[in-house]
Amino acid sequence: MASSSGRLEHVSNQIATRAADTTREDPWPLALLSQNIKKYVDRMSALWVEGQVVEYKPRPGTRMGFFTIRDLQQNVSMTVKAFANVIDGAGTSFDEGARVVVWVKPDFYEGNGQLSLQAREIHTAGIGDLLARIEMLRKQLAAEGLFDVSLKKSLPFLPRQVGLICGRNAKAKHDVIVNAQARWPTTRFVIREVAVQGSQCVPQVTAALQELDQIQDVDVIVITRGGGAVEDLLPFSDEILVRQAAASVTPIVSAIGHETDAPLLDLVADYRASTPTDAARKIVPDVAEQTQIIADQRHRAHHLISQRITAELQGLASVRARPIMSRPAALVDDQNEKLRMVRENMRLRISAILQLSEKAVETSRAQLRALSPQAILERGFTVLRKPDGEVITDSSQVSKGELVEGLLASGRLVAQVVGSVSAEKCAGTGL
């Protein structure tokens, strides 16, 4: 035993005193680490923390109770243990889903390395405090523009499928389905039944919303529950759920069914329905109403077409009643008369021009006749030519006994020159 004790003492002398001094060759035993963590945690001061009770199973008759609180903003949870009298002191409002402020002392259990909180006082947060926090969150989200009307997406006229997030076997589910299919019998639903109050509401509704938003044929998503107390609706003002709804690509209809206290989901949704039945009216058209609209449009179209046909027939009758339609040739009578007058005018003008031209020609003919050699011959003159055709204009051109040809006004003759007299001698005789 002494030998064994000595070996342990030797090993103990090799252990580093600080965690920073440990090495691969000289590590701490796990138990030593656990002891040091407990010492550190035990030195921590008691403090107030807040969160939401997400798990609590009452165990009547037990000395110690356990529950879990969660920071829903950061999704951090811790186990809390408390004596029965401490839990009883929290009042009847202490249950799953309750917001609590707890006076705790951190506690570390060496056996399994679990860190927990030892509750010394438990106080449930009043509804007024919670509503004040929701109002602060509303102002923050409004400042970020999450409630702007410009971000609202239009609901489809007739969705291929309707995503429905509702409670398990809830009346709200029945109201939406029955009323929607009463309006449009072929309406198809993709249903996700979730917790619609309590600690599991936010994570389950958020997960269902994410899932439905990714289904291509789901054209609108309805989130519904059948109203309830103000505290029951608090999860629908949770920041995580509200931001997920704002990020959704698919249009969202909020049908929480609470007129006076609208949760923040109503403000970020693309349409706020006052009740599940109102949501059903909004997501699908009324087949009877649409049938009547089609009938009215058909009647209106028939009436307009009939009016147009009647107007055209009246116009055609008016055209047919015109004189031109009984005697189409009348259409060209005026033109024929104009053409006749133009032709007559052209004939008169051409006739006048021809008369003037004829007179001019006659005048020119008379002048030409008066100046022509033939006229001279007709007055008794003769043109003498020598046998070679040379015209004799001077007596010196011929000799005595020479034959000459005489051109008369009518016919010709041949004569023999018996003599000639020169021009000088003729001038003296007066010939």
Side-chain angles (χ1 to χ4, degrees):
M1 292 293 293
S3 176
S4 175
S5 177
R7 287 196 299 271
L8 289 174
E9 183 180 357
H10 175 73
V11 172
S12 176
N13 291 335
Q14 301 300 318
I15 296 176
T17 57
R18 299 186 309 161
D21 295 334
T22 59
T23 64
R24 187 174 64 178
E25 291 75 16
D26 296 313
W28 270 3
L30 184 59
L32 180 57
L33 172 62
S34 182
Q35 292 171 9
N36 286 334
I37 292 176
K38 181 169 179 56
K39 291 178 182 178
Y40 179 81
V41 171
D42 287 344
R43 289 198 298 269
M44 293 182 64
S45 301
L47 70 157
W48 289 97
V49 296
E50 70 168 333
Q52 183 174 11
V53 179
V54 294
E55 289 185 17
Y56 172 58
K57 297 296 185 288
R59 297 178 181 176
T62 59
R63 180 169 174 269
M64 184 74 69
F66 296 86
F67 58 93
T68 301
I69 61 172
R70 177 177 295 167
D71 184 337
L72 296 180
Q73 299 290 335
Q74 303 297 329
N75 199 25
V76 175
S77 302
M78 289 194 72
T79 299
V80 181
K81 55 186 177 181
F83 289 107
N85 64 325
V86 175
I87 295 178
D88 293 340
T92 57
S93 60
F94 179 81
D95 202 347
E96 287 187 357
R99 297 271 185 171
V100 294
V101 177
V102 189
W103 175 248
V104 297
K105 177 70 172 67
D107 180 61
F108 183 77
Y109 181 60
E110 298 178 59
N112 58 9
Q114 181 179 6
L115 179 65
S116 62
L117 302 175
Q118 173 73 50
R120 298 177 179 178
E121 289 185 40
I122 302 174
H123 299 275
T124 55
I127 292 298
D129 295 336
L130 295 176
L131 294 180
R133 294 182 186 180
I134 291 175
E135 178 61 20
M136 292 178 60
L137 178 60
R138 185 193 67 78
K139 292 179 179 179
Q140 175 189 341
L141 298 180
E144 295 179 18
L146 265 64
F147 306 148
D148 289 353
V149 176
S150 60
L151 298 180
K152 305 297 183 185
K153 297 177 282 294
S154 300
L155 303 185
F157 172 73
L158 183 60
R160 290 170 292 180
Q161 293 192 103
V162 177
L164 179 60
I165 301 175
C166 58
R168 295 174 177 85
N169 299 318
K171 185 177 183 299
K173 167 188 171 183
H174 176 270
D175 289 346
V176 172
I177 295 176
V178 170
N179 285 282
Q181 292 182 341
R183 290 171 61 83
W184 199 271
T186 58
T187 304
R188 298 167 56 197
F189 286 89
V190 179
I191 303 172
R192 295 294 180 268
E193 294 185 340
V194 298
V196 290
Q197 68 183 56
S199 61
Q200 295 303 309
C201 177
V202 172
Q204 290 188 14
V205 173
T206 302
L209 180 57
Q210 290 175 334
E211 181 184 357
L212 292 176
D213 192 34
Q214 295 174 0
I215 299 177
Q216 185 175 3
D217 289 346
V218 172
D219 295 325
V220 63
I221 299 173
V222 179
I223 303 175
T224 185
R225 63 159 288 155
V230 174
E231 54 268 28
D232 294 336
L233 304 181
L234 293 178
F236 295 96
S237 293
D238 185 89
E239 184 175 0
I240 294 176
L241 176 56
V242 172
R243 289 190 181 277
Q244 180 60 46
S248 175
V249 176
T250 309
I252 293 176
V253 174
S254 174
I256 305 306
H258 206 274
E259 289 288 350
T260 56
D261 299 298
L264 299 185
L265 179 64
D266 282 354
L267 302 180
V268 78
D270 299 292
Y271 178 78
R272 177 188 181 236
S274 57
T275 62
T277 301
D278 181 40
R281 295 193 189 101
K282 189 65 179 178
I283 58 177
V284 292
D286 186 350
V287 66
E289 180 181 327
Q290 296 303 315
T291 301
Q292 185 60 46
I293 291 174
I294 292 173
D296 292 344
Q297 293 296 329
R298 182 180 296 166
H299 175 74
R300 183 171 181 271
H302 182 271
H303 177 68
L304 292 176
I305 292 173
S306 296
Q307 281 188 327
R308 183 62 180 269
I309 292 175
T310 300
E312 295 298 331
L313 288 174
Q314 291 176 348
L316 181 59
S318 176
V319 171
R320 294 177 63 184
R322 295 177 183 175
I324 192 65
M325 299 305 295
S326 60
R327 195 173 67 84
L331 185 64
V332 296
D333 283 351
D334 289 344
Q335 301 301 323
N336 282 336
E337 180 61 23
K338 290 180 181 179
L339 181 60
R340 187 192 66 77
M341 293 178 65
V342 170
R343 291 174 64 182
E344 181 63 20
N345 188 34
M346 290 179 62
R347 188 186 66 78
L348 292 175
R349 289 191 177 190
I350 292 174
S351 178
I353 292 172
L354 289 176
Q355 289 178 1
L356 291 174
S357 298
E358 287 177 355
K359 289 180 180 180
V361 170
E362 190 63 30
T363 300
S364 298
R365 182 183 291 133
Q367 292 175 350
L368 182 60
R369 185 180 297 112
L371 296 175
S372 70
Q374 181 66 27
I376 296 174
L377 294 175
E378 289 177 351
R379 290 198 300 270
F381 292 94
T382 302
V383 177
L384 297 178
R385 294 189 305 185
K386 294 174 71 173
D388 59 2
E390 180 185 358
V391 177
I392 300 171
T393 59
D394 194 306
S395 61
S396 61
Q397 292 179 258
V398 295
S399 304
K400 182 180 178 180
E402 189 175 359
L403 296 175
V404 296
E405 180 184 20
L407 299 178
L408 305 176
S410 176
R412 63 183 64 186
L413 59 80
V414 176
Q416 186 175 25
V417 179
V418 295
S420 62
V421 180
S422 64
E424 292 80 3
K425 290 181 178 182
C426 288
T429 61
L431 296 175

